[in-house]
Coordinates of all heavy atoms in Angstrom, one line a residue:
M1 N 12.4 19.6 -116.8 CA 13.3 19.0 -115.8 C 14.6 19.8 -115.7 O 15.3 20.0 -116.7 CB 13.7 17.5 -116.2 CG 14.5 16.8 -115.2 SD 14.9 15.1 -115.6 CE 13.3 14.4 -115.4
P2 N 14.9 20.4 -114.5 CA 16.1 21.2 -114.4 C 17.4 20.4 -114.5 O 17.4 19.3 -114.2 CB 15.9 21.8 -113.0 CG 14.9 21.0 -112.3 CD 14.1 20.2 -113.3
F3 N 18.3 21.1 -115.1 CA 19.7 20.5 -115.2 C 20.7 21.6 -115.1 O 20.4 22.8 -115.2 CB 19.8 19.7 -116.5 CG 19.8 20.4 -117.8 CD1 21.0 20.8 -118.4 CD2 18.7 20.7 -118.4 CE1 21.0 21.5 -119.6 CE2 18.7 21.4 -119.6 CZ 19.9 21.8 -120.2
A4 N 21.9 21.1 -114.8 CA 23.0 22.1 -114.6 C 24.3 21.5 -115.2 O 24.5 20.3 -115.3 CB 23.2 22.3 -113.1
Y5 N 25.3 22.4 -115.4 CA 26.6 22.0 -115.8 C 27.5 22.4 -114.6 O 27.3 23.5 -114.0 CB 27.1 22.7 -117.0 CG 26.4 22.2 -118.3 CD1 25.3 22.9 -118.7 CD2 26.8 21.1 -118.9 CE1 24.6 22.5 -119.8 CE2 26.1 20.6 -120.0 CZ 25.0 21.4 -120.5 OH 24.3 20.9 -121.6
V6 N 28.4 21.6 -114.2 CA 29.4 21.9 -113.1 C 30.8 21.7 -113.7 O 31.1 20.7 -114.2 CB 29.2 21.0 -111.9 CG1 30.2 21.4 -110.8 CG2 27.8 21.0 -111.4
L7 N 31.6 22.8 -113.7 CA 32.9 22.8 -114.2 C 33.9 22.7 -113.0 O 33.8 23.5 -112.0 CB 33.2 24.1 -114.9 CG 32.6 24.2 -116.3 CD1 31.1 24.3 -116.2 CD2 33.1 25.4 -117.1
I8 N 34.7 21.7 -113.0 CA 35.5 21.4 -111.8 C 37.0 21.5 -112.0 O 37.5 21.1 -113.1 CB 35.2 19.9 -111.4 CG1 33.7 19.7 -111.1 CG2 36.1 19.5 -110.2 CD1 33.3 18.3 -110.9
N9 N 37.7 22.1 -111.0 CA 39.1 22.1 -110.9 C 39.5 21.1 -109.8 O 38.9 21.2 -108.7 CB 39.7 23.4 -110.6 CG 39.7 24.4 -111.8 OD1 40.1 24.0 -112.9 ND2 39.3 25.6 -111.5
C10 N 40.4 20.2 -110.1 CA 40.7 19.2 -109.1 C 42.2 19.1 -108.9 O 43.0 19.7 -109.6 CB 40.2 17.8 -109.5 SG 40.7 17.2 -111.0
E11 N 42.6 18.4 -107.8 CA 44.0 18.1 -107.5 C 44.6 17.4 -108.7 O 44.0 16.5 -109.3 CB 44.1 17.3 -106.2 CG 43.6 18.0 -105.0 CD 44.5 19.2 -104.6 OE1 45.7 19.2 -104.9 OE2 43.9 20.1 -104.0
L12 N 45.9 17.7 -109.0 CA 46.6 17.1 -110.1 C 46.7 15.6 -109.9 O 47.0 15.1 -108.9 CB 48.0 17.7 -110.2 CG 48.9 17.2 -111.4 CD1 48.2 17.6 -112.7 CD2 50.2 17.8 -111.3
G13 N 46.2 14.9 -110.9 CA 46.3 13.4 -110.9 C 45.1 12.7 -110.3 O 45.0 11.5 -110.3
S14 N 44.1 13.5 -109.8 CA 42.9 12.9 -109.2 C 41.7 12.9 -110.1 O 40.6 12.5 -109.7 CB 42.6 13.7 -107.9 OG 42.2 15.0 -108.2
E15 N 41.9 13.3 -111.4 CA 40.7 13.4 -112.3 C 39.9 12.1 -112.4 O 38.7 12.1 -112.3 CB 41.2 13.8 -113.7 CG 41.8 15.2 -113.7 CD 43.3 15.2 -113.4 OE1 43.9 14.1 -113.1 OE2 43.9 16.3 -113.5
N16 N 40.6 11.0 -112.6 CA 39.9 9.7 -112.8 C 39.2 9.3 -111.6 O 38.0 8.8 -111.7 CB 40.9 8.6 -113.3 CG 41.4 8.8 -114.7 OD1 40.8 9.5 -115.5 ND2 42.6 8.2 -115.0
E17 N 39.8 9.5 -110.4 CA 39.1 9.1 -109.2 C 37.8 10.0 -109.0 O 36.8 9.4 -108.6 CB 40.1 9.3 -108.0 CG 39.5 9.0 -106.7 CD 40.5 9.3 -105.5 OE1 41.7 9.5 -105.8 OE2 40.1 9.3 -104.4
I18 N 37.9 11.2 -109.2 CA 36.8 12.1 -109.1 C 35.7 11.7 -110.1 O 34.5 11.6 -109.7 CB 37.2 13.6 -109.3 CG1 38.0 14.1 -108.1 CG2 35.9 14.5 -109.4 CD1 38.6 15.4 -108.3
M19 N 36.1 11.4 -111.3 CA 35.1 11.0 -112.3 C 34.4 9.7 -111.9 O 33.1 9.6 -112.1 CB 35.8 10.9 -113.7 CG 36.2 12.2 -114.3 SD 37.1 12.1 -115.8 CE 35.8 11.6 -116.9
E20 N 35.1 8.8 -111.4 CA 34.5 7.5 -110.9 C 33.4 7.8 -109.8 O 32.3 7.2 -109.8 CB 35.5 6.6 -110.4 CG 36.3 6.0 -111.5 CD 37.4 5.0 -111.0 OE1 37.3 4.5 -109.8 OE2 38.4 4.9 -111.7
K21 N 33.8 8.7 -108.8 CA 32.9 9.0 -107.7 C 31.6 9.7 -108.3 O 30.5 9.4 -107.9 CB 33.6 9.9 -106.7 CG 34.6 9.1 -105.9 CD 35.3 10.0 -104.9 CE 36.4 9.3 -104.2 NZ 37.2 10.2 -103.3
I22 N 31.8 10.7 -109.2 CA 30.7 11.4 -109.7 C 29.8 10.6 -110.5 O 28.6 10.7 -110.5 CB 31.3 12.6 -110.5 CG1 31.9 13.7 -109.5 CG2 30.1 13.3 -111.3 CD1 32.6 14.8 -110.2
R23 N 30.3 9.6 -111.3 CA 29.5 8.8 -112.1 C 28.5 7.9 -111.3 O 27.5 7.4 -111.8 CB 30.4 7.8 -113.0 CG 30.9 8.5 -114.2 CD 31.6 7.5 -115.1 NE 32.1 8.2 -116.3 CZ 33.4 8.4 -116.5 NH1 34.3 7.8 -115.7 NH2 33.8 9.0 -117.6
K24 N 28.8 7.7 -110.0 CA 28.0 6.9 -109.1 C 26.7 7.6 -108.7 O 25.8 7.0 -108.2 CB 28.8 6.4 -107.9 CG 29.9 5.4 -108.3 CD 30.6 5.0 -107.1 CE 31.8 4.0 -107.5 NZ 32.6 3.7 -106.3
V25 N 26.7 8.9 -108.9 CA 25.5 9.8 -108.5 C 24.5 9.5 -109.6 O 24.7 9.8 -110.8 CB 25.9 11.2 -108.4 CG1 24.7 12.1 -108.1 CG2 27.0 11.4 -107.4
P26 N 23.3 9.0 -109.2 CA 22.3 8.7 -110.2 C 21.8 9.8 -111.1 O 21.5 9.6 -112.3 CB 21.1 8.2 -109.4 CG 21.7 7.8 -108.0 CD 22.9 8.7 -107.9
E27 N 21.9 11.0 -110.6 CA 21.4 12.2 -111.4 C 22.4 12.7 -112.4 O 22.1 13.6 -113.2 CB 21.0 13.3 -110.4 CG 19.8 13.0 -109.6 CD 20.1 12.2 -108.3 OE1 21.3 11.9 -108.1 OE2 19.2 11.9 -107.5
V28 N 23.6 12.2 -112.4 CA 24.6 12.6 -113.3 C 24.3 12.0 -114.7 O 24.2 10.8 -114.8 CB 26.0 12.2 -112.8 CG1 27.1 12.4 -113.9 CG2 26.4 13.0 -111.6
V29 N 24.3 12.9 -115.7 CA 24.0 12.5 -117.0 C 25.2 12.2 -117.8 O 25.4 11.2 -118.5 CB 23.1 13.6 -117.7 CG1 22.8 13.2 -119.2 CG2 21.8 13.8 -117.0
D30 N 26.2 13.2 -117.8 CA 27.4 13.1 -118.5 C 28.6 13.6 -117.6 O 28.4 14.5 -116.8 CB 27.4 14.0 -119.8 CG 26.4 13.5 -120.8 OD1 26.4 12.4 -121.1 OD2 25.6 14.4 -121.2
V31 N 29.8 13.0 -117.8 CA 31.0 13.4 -117.2 C 32.1 13.4 -118.2 O 32.3 12.4 -118.9 CB 31.4 12.5 -116.0 CG1 32.7 13.0 -115.4 CG2 30.3 12.4 -115.0
Y32 N 32.8 14.6 -118.4 CA 33.8 14.7 -119.4 C 35.1 15.2 -118.8 O 35.1 16.1 -117.9 CB 33.4 15.7 -120.5 CG 32.2 15.3 -121.2 CD1 31.0 16.0 -121.0 CD2 32.2 14.3 -122.2 CE1 29.8 15.6 -121.6 CE2 31.1 14.0 -122.9 CZ 29.9 14.7 -122.6 OH 28.7 14.3 -123.3
R33 N 36.2 14.6 -119.1 CA 37.5 15.2 -118.8 C 37.9 16.1 -119.9 O 37.9 15.7 -121.1 CB 38.5 14.0 -118.6 CG 39.9 14.6 -118.1 CD 40.7 13.4 -117.7 NE 42.0 14.0 -117.3 CZ 43.1 13.2 -117.0 NH1 43.0 11.9 -117.1 NH2 44.2 13.8 -116.6
V34 N 38.3 17.3 -119.6 CA 38.7 18.3 -120.6 C 40.0 18.9 -120.3 O 40.5 18.9 -119.2 CB 37.6 19.4 -120.6 CG1 36.2 18.8 -121.1 CG2 37.4 20.1 -119.3
F35 N 40.6 19.6 -121.3 CA 41.8 20.3 -121.2 C 41.4 21.8 -121.2 O 40.5 22.2 -122.0 CB 42.8 20.0 -122.3 CG 43.4 18.6 -122.2 CD1 42.9 17.7 -123.1 CD2 44.3 18.3 -121.2 CE1 43.5 16.4 -123.0 CE2 44.8 17.1 -121.1 CZ 44.4 16.1 -122.0
G36 N 42.1 22.6 -120.5 CA 41.8 24.1 -120.4 C 41.8 24.6 -119.0 O 42.4 24.0 -118.1
V37 N 41.0 25.5 -118.8 CA 40.8 26.1 -117.4 C 40.3 25.2 -116.4 O 40.7 25.2 -115.3 CB 39.9 27.4 -117.5 CG1 39.7 28.0 -116.1 CG2 40.5 28.4 -118.5
Y38 N 39.4 24.3 -116.8 CA 38.8 23.3 -115.9 C 39.3 21.9 -116.3 O 39.7 21.6 -117.4 CB 37.3 23.4 -116.0 CG 36.8 24.7 -115.4 CD1 36.5 25.8 -116.3 CD2 36.6 24.9 -114.1 CE1 36.1 27.0 -115.8 CE2 36.2 26.1 -113.6 CZ 36.0 27.1 -114.4 OH 35.6 28.3 -113.9
D39 N 39.1 21.0 -115.4 CA 39.6 19.6 -115.6 C 38.4 18.6 -115.9 O 38.6 17.7 -116.7 CB 40.3 19.1 -114.3 CG 41.4 19.9 -113.9 OD1 42.3 20.2 -114.8 OD2 41.5 20.4 -112.7
I40 N 37.3 18.9 -115.4 CA 36.1 18.0 -115.6 C 34.9 18.9 -115.8 O 34.7 19.9 -115.1 CB 35.9 17.1 -114.4 CG1 37.2 16.2 -114.2 CG2 34.7 16.2 -114.5 CD1 37.2 15.4 -112.8
I41 N 34.0 18.4 -116.7 CA 32.7 19.0 -116.8 C 31.6 17.9 -116.6 O 31.7 16.8 -117.1 CB 32.5 19.6 -118.2 CG1 33.5 20.8 -118.5 CG2 31.0 20.1 -118.4 CD1 33.4 21.3 -119.9
V42 N 30.6 18.3 -115.8 CA 29.6 17.3 -115.4 C 28.2 17.9 -115.8 O 28.0 19.1 -115.5 CB 29.6 17.1 -113.9 CG1 28.5 16.1 -113.5 CG2 31.0 16.6 -113.4
R43 N 27.3 17.1 -116.3 CA 26.0 17.5 -116.6 C 25.1 16.7 -115.6 O 25.2 15.5 -115.6 CB 25.5 17.3 -118.0 CG 24.1 17.7 -118.3 CD 23.8 17.6 -119.8 NE 22.4 18.1 -119.9 CZ 21.5 17.4 -120.6 NH1 21.8 16.3 -121.2 NH2 20.3 17.9 -120.7
I44 N 24.2 17.4 -114.9 CA 23.3 16.8 -113.9 C 21.9 17.2 -114.2 O 21.6 18.3 -114.6 CB 23.7 17.3 -112.5 CG1 25.2 17.1 -112.2 CG2 22.8 16.7 -111.4 CD1 25.6 17.9 -111.0
S45 N 21.0 16.2 -114.0 CA 19.6 16.5 -114.2 C 18.8 15.9 -113.0 O 19.2 14.9 -112.5 CB 19.1 15.8 -115.5 OG 17.8 16.1 -115.7
S46 N 17.8 16.6 -112.6 CA 17.0 16.2 -111.4 C 15.5 16.6 -111.7 O 15.2 17.4 -112.5 CB 17.5 16.9 -110.2 OG 16.8 16.5 -109.1
N47 N 14.7 16.0 -110.8 CA 13.2 16.3 -110.9 C 12.9 17.7 -110.4 O 11.9 18.3 -110.8 CB 12.4 15.3 -110.2 CG 12.4 14.0 -110.9 OD1 12.6 13.9 -112.1 ND2 12.3 12.9 -110.1
N48 N 13.7 18.3 -109.5 CA 13.4 19.6 -109.0 C 14.7 20.3 -108.7 O 15.8 19.8 -108.5 CB 12.5 19.5 -107.7 CG 13.2 18.7 -106.6 OD1 14.2 19.2 -106.0 ND2 12.6 17.6 -106.3
M49 N 14.6 21.6 -108.6 CA 15.7 22.5 -108.4 C 16.4 22.3 -107.0 O 17.7 22.3 -107.0 CB 15.3 24.0 -108.5 CG 16.4 25.0 -108.6 SD 17.3 24.8 -110.2 CE 16.1 25.4 -111.3
E50 N 15.7 22.0 -106.0 CA 16.3 21.8 -104.7 C 17.2 20.6 -104.7 O 18.3 20.7 -104.1 CB 15.2 21.7 -103.6 CG 15.7 21.8 -102.2 CD 16.5 23.1 -101.9 OE1 16.1 24.1 -102.4 OE2 17.5 23.0 -101.2
T51 N 16.8 19.5 -105.3 CA 17.6 18.3 -105.3 C 18.8 18.6 -106.2 O 19.9 18.2 -105.8 CB 16.8 17.2 -106.0 OG1 15.6 16.9 -105.1 CG2 17.6 15.9 -106.0
L52 N 18.7 19.3 -107.2 CA 19.8 19.7 -108.1 C 20.9 20.5 -107.3 O 22.1 20.1 -107.3 CB 19.3 20.5 -109.3 CG 20.3 20.8 -110.4 CD1 20.6 19.5 -111.1 CD2 19.7 21.8 -111.4
K53 N 20.4 21.4 -106.5 CA 21.4 22.2 -105.7 C 22.0 21.4 -104.6 O 23.2 21.5 -104.4 CB 20.6 23.4 -105.0 CG 20.1 24.4 -106.0 CD 19.3 25.5 -105.3 CE 18.8 26.5 -106.2 NZ 17.9 27.5 -105.6
E54 N 21.3 20.4 -104.0 CA 21.9 19.6 -103.0 C 23.0 18.6 -103.6 O 24.0 18.4 -103.0 CB 20.8 18.7 -102.3 CG 19.9 19.5 -101.4 CD 18.8 18.7 -100.8 OE1 18.8 17.5 -101.0 OE2 17.9 19.4 -100.2
I55 N 22.7 18.1 -104.8 CA 23.7 17.2 -105.4 C 25.0 18.0 -105.7 O 26.1 17.5 -105.4 CB 23.1 16.7 -106.7 CG1 22.0 15.7 -106.4 CG2 24.2 16.0 -107.6 CD1 21.1 15.4 -107.6
I56 N 24.8 19.2 -106.3 CA 26.0 20.0 -106.6 C 26.8 20.3 -105.3 O 28.0 20.2 -105.2 CB 25.6 21.3 -107.3 CG1 25.0 21.0 -108.7 CG2 26.8 22.3 -107.4 CD1 24.3 22.2 -109.3
T57 N 26.1 20.7 -104.2 CA 26.8 21.1 -103.0 C 27.4 20.0 -102.2 O 28.5 20.0 -101.8 CB 25.7 21.9 -102.1 OG1 25.2 23.0 -102.8 CG2 26.4 22.3 -100.8
W58 N 26.6 18.9 -102.0 CA 27.0 17.8 -101.1 C 27.7 16.6 -101.8 O 28.4 15.9 -101.2 CB 25.8 17.4 -100.3 CG 25.3 18.5 -99.5 CD1 24.1 19.2 -99.7 CD2 25.9 19.1 -98.3 NE1 24.0 20.2 -98.8 CE2 25.1 20.2 -97.9 CE3 27.1 18.9 -97.7 CZ2 25.4 21.0 -96.8 CZ3 27.4 19.7 -96.6 CH2 26.5 20.7 -96.2
K59 N 27.4 16.4 -103.1 CA 27.9 15.2 -103.7 C 29.1 15.5 -104.7 O 29.7 14.6 -105.2 CB 26.8 14.4 -104.4 CG 25.8 13.8 -103.4 CD 24.8 13.0 -104.1 CE 23.9 12.4 -103.1 NZ 22.9 11.5 -103.7
I60 N 29.2 16.8 -105.0 CA 30.3 17.1 -106.0 C 31.3 18.1 -105.3 O 32.5 17.8 -105.2 CB 29.7 17.7 -107.3 CG1 28.9 16.6 -108.0 CG2 30.8 18.3 -108.2 CD1 28.3 17.0 -109.3
K61 N 30.8 19.2 -104.9 CA 31.8 20.3 -104.3 C 32.5 19.8 -103.1 O 33.5 20.3 -102.8 CB 31.0 21.6 -104.1 CG 30.6 22.3 -105.3 CD 30.0 23.6 -105.0 CE 29.7 24.4 -106.3 NZ 29.1 25.7 -106.0
K62 N 31.9 18.9 -102.3 CA 32.5 18.4 -101.1 C 33.5 17.3 -101.2 O 34.1 16.8 -100.2 CB 31.4 18.0 -100.1 CG 30.5 19.1 -99.6 CD 31.2 20.1 -98.8 CE 30.3 21.2 -98.3 NZ 30.9 22.2 -97.6
L63 N 33.7 16.8 -102.4 CA 34.7 15.8 -102.6 C 36.1 16.3 -102.3 O 36.4 17.4 -102.7 CB 34.7 15.3 -104.1 CG 33.5 14.5 -104.5 CD1 33.5 14.2 -106.0 CD2 33.4 13.2 -103.8
D64 N 36.9 15.5 -101.6 CA 38.1 16.0 -101.1 C 39.1 16.5 -102.1 O 39.8 17.5 -101.9 CB 38.9 14.9 -100.3 CG 38.2 14.6 -99.0 OD1 37.5 15.5 -98.4 OD2 38.4 13.4 -98.5
E65 N 39.1 15.9 -103.3 CA 40.1 16.3 -104.3 C 39.6 17.5 -105.2 O 40.4 18.0 -106.0 CB 40.3 15.1 -105.2 CG 40.9 13.9 -104.5 CD 39.8 13.0 -103.9 OE1 38.6 13.3 -104.1 OE2 40.2 12.0 -103.3
V66 N 38.4 17.9 -105.0 CA 37.9 19.1 -105.8 C 38.4 20.4 -105.1 O 38.2 20.7 -104.0 CB 36.3 19.1 -105.8 CG1 35.8 20.4 -106.4 CG2 35.8 17.9 -106.5
R67 N 39.2 21.1 -105.9 CA 39.7 22.4 -105.5 C 38.7 23.5 -105.6 O 38.5 24.4 -104.8 CB 41.0 22.8 -106.2 CG 42.2 22.0 -105.8 CD 43.4 22.5 -106.4 NE 43.4 22.2 -107.8 CZ 44.2 22.8 -108.7 NH1 45.0 23.8 -108.4 NH2 44.2 22.5 -110.0
S68 N 38.0 23.5 -106.7 CA 36.9 24.5 -107.0 C 35.9 24.0 -108.0 O 36.2 23.1 -108.8 CB 37.5 25.9 -107.4 OG 38.1 25.7 -108.7
A69 N 34.7 24.6 -108.0 CA 33.7 24.2 -108.9 C 32.8 25.4 -109.2 O 32.5 26.2 -108.4 CB 32.9 23.0 -108.3
L70 N 32.5 25.5 -110.5 CA 31.6 26.5 -111.0 C 30.3 25.9 -111.5 O 30.4 25.0 -112.3 CB 32.3 27.3 -112.1 CG 31.4 28.3 -112.9 CD1 31.1 29.5 -111.9 CD2 32.1 28.8 -114.1
S71 N 29.2 26.3 -110.9 CA 27.9 25.7 -111.3 C 27.1 26.6 -112.2 O 27.1 27.8 -111.9 CB 27.1 25.4 -110.0 OG 27.8 24.6 -109.1
M72 N 26.5 26.0 -113.2 CA 25.7 26.8 -114.1 C 24.4 26.1 -114.2 O 24.3 25.0 -114.9 CB 26.4 27.0 -115.5 CG 27.7 27.7 -115.4 SD 28.5 27.9 -116.9 CE 29.0 26.2 -117.3
I73 N 23.3 26.6 -113.6 CA 22.0 25.9 -113.6 C 21.3 26.5 -114.8 O 21.2 27.7 -115.0 CB 21.2 26.2 -112.3 CG1 22.0 25.5 -111.2 CG2 19.8 25.7 -112.5 CD1 21.4 25.7 -109.8
V74 N 20.8 25.7 -115.7 CA 20.1 26.1 -116.9 C 18.7 26.5 -116.6 O 18.0 25.8 -115.9 CB 20.1 24.9 -117.9 CG1 19.3 25.4 -119.2 CG2 21.5 24.5 -118.3
I75 N 18.4 27.7 -117.0 CA 17.0 28.3 -116.7 C 16.1 28.2 -117.9 O 14.9 28.3 -117.7 CB 17.1 29.7 -116.2 CG1 17.8 30.6 -117.2 CG2 17.8 29.8 -114.8 CD1 17.6 32.1 -116.9
E76 N 16.7 28.0 -119.1 CA 15.8 27.9 -120.3 C 16.5 27.1 -121.4 O 17.7 27.3 -121.6 CB 15.5 29.4 -120.8 CG 14.6 29.4 -121.9 CD 14.2 30.8 -122.4 OE1 14.9 31.7 -122.0 OE2 13.2 30.9 -123.1
D77 N 15.8 26.2 -122.0 CA 16.3 25.4 -123.0 C 15.4 25.7 -124.3 O 14.3 25.2 -124.4 CB 16.3 23.9 -122.7 CG 16.9 23.0 -123.7 OD1 17.3 23.6 -124.8 OD2 16.9 21.8 -123.5
L78 N 15.9 26.5 -125.2 CA 15.1 27.0 -126.3 C 14.7 25.8 -127.2 O 13.7 25.9 -127.9 CB 15.8 28.1 -127.1 CG 16.0 29.4 -126.3 CD1 16.8 30.4 -127.1 CD2 14.7 30.0 -125.9
D79 N 15.6 24.8 -127.3 CA 15.3 23.6 -128.2 C 14.1 22.9 -127.7 O 13.4 22.2 -128.5 CB 16.5 22.7 -128.2 CG 17.6 23.3 -129.0 OD1 17.4 24.2 -129.8 OD2 18.8 22.8 -128.8
K80 N 13.7 22.9 -126.5 CA 12.6 22.2 -125.9 C 11.3 22.9 -125.9 O 10.2 22.4 -125.6 CB 12.9 21.8 -124.4 CG 14.2 21.0 -124.2 CD 14.0 19.6 -124.8 CE 15.3 18.9 -124.6 NZ 15.3 17.5 -124.9
N81 N 11.3 24.2 -126.3 CA 10.1 25.0 -126.3 C 9.3 24.9 -127.6 O 9.7 24.6 -128.6 CB 10.4 26.5 -126.0 CG 10.8 26.6 -124.6 OD1 10.5 25.8 -123.7 ND2 11.6 27.7 -124.4

């Protein structure tokens, strides 16, 4: 099952609002607020790669308060092999 991590930079003070919106997406596995270069880290899992890409593009990156997002789609999970 493909999954990805999305690292998000958002407008100052909008972290909780963004996290609430992202948690409503059924494919979202984990959402973390972090300190450092990024504000939020999201883990997403889907049945296929196309759906995963659509979620990242249309349900996360298009949120008004998101300034930028870095997507990392996992291609291999050595623990599962």
Side-chain angles (χ1 to χ4, degrees):
M1 183 175 292
F3 68 96
Y5 293 95
V6 183
L7 287 67
I8 299 170
N9 284 316
C10 56
E11 296 294 330
L12 185 62
S14 66
E15 296 88 355
N16 290 339
E17 181 182 346
I18 290 174
M19 290 176 71
E20 287 177 24
K21 290 177 182 178
I22 290 173
R23 281 191 181 110
K24 292 179 182 176
V25 178
E27 293 84 0
V28 169
V29 177
D30 296 306
V31 181
Y32 301 103
R33 185 169 177 188
V34 297
F35 291 106
V37 176
Y38 294 94
D39 301 310
I40 300 170
I41 296 176
V42 181
R43 182 172 180 232
I44 305 165
S45 181
S46 178
N47 290 330
N48 61 66
M49 193 65 71
E50 191 58 37
T51 302
L52 192 67
K53 291 176 185 178
E54 288 176 10
I55 293 165
I56 293 168
T57 302
W58 299 106
K59 295 185 178 181
I60 294 179
K61 290 185 175 183
K62 294 293 183 183
L63 292 172
D64 288 336
E65 301 85 3
V66 171
R67 285 190 287 161
S68 66
L70 173 69
S71 304
M72 298 179 291
I73 297 174
V74 177
I75 58 169
E76 184 175 15
D77 184 356
L78 296 177
D79 290 340
K80 303 289 180 174
N81 293 334

